[in-house]
Amino acid sequence: MSQVFSEETHRNLLARIPHCTGREISDWLRTVEEGPALFRFEEKVSWLRAEHNLAYGHAKAIIHEYDLRRAARKLL
């Protein structure tokens, strides 16, 4: 499973991402969805960092949020 920050840190990072990157979280989640089919958490983080020049913490928060939302969809 994802290697994560505390819930509070995760939420704080998500809140700052639009300001730091100029893109909304929904845009980043769509980018991950449309990106390569990588399986491991760190592979996804590395791809996002390399492809979009993101800071490690931001990339990690985006991938974690993507994984959380994907898991929630599977439960429905």
Side-chain angles (χ1 to χ4, degrees):
M1 182 84 196
S2 304
Q3 301 170 6
V4 298
F5 303 110
S6 72
E7 184 63 27
E8 180 181 0
T9 300
H10 177 67
R11 294 288 156 216
N12 287 338
L13 279 168
L14 287 181
R16 287 195 308 259
I17 287 171
H19 173 73
C20 294
T21 67
R23 292 177 63 184
E24 295 297 320
I25 295 300
S26 59
D27 293 338
W28 285 114
L29 297 176
R30 193 169 25 263
T31 297
V32 173
E33 182 72 27
E34 295 169 354
L38 302 170
F39 295 103
R40 292 181 53 235
F41 182 83
E42 285 299 327
E43 289 175 325
K44 294 175 194 176
V45 171
S46 294
W47 169 78
L48 202 56
R49 292 184 71 209
E51 190 71 22
H52 299 281
N53 198 32
L54 290 176
Y56 178 75
H58 291 155
K60 189 173 175 178
I62 291 166
I63 298 300
H64 179 58
E65 186 67 17
Y66 175 81
D67 287 348
L68 287 173
R69 292 183 186 196
R70 188 181 63 188
R73 284 193 310 256
K74 287 182 180 180
L75 293 175
L76 297 177

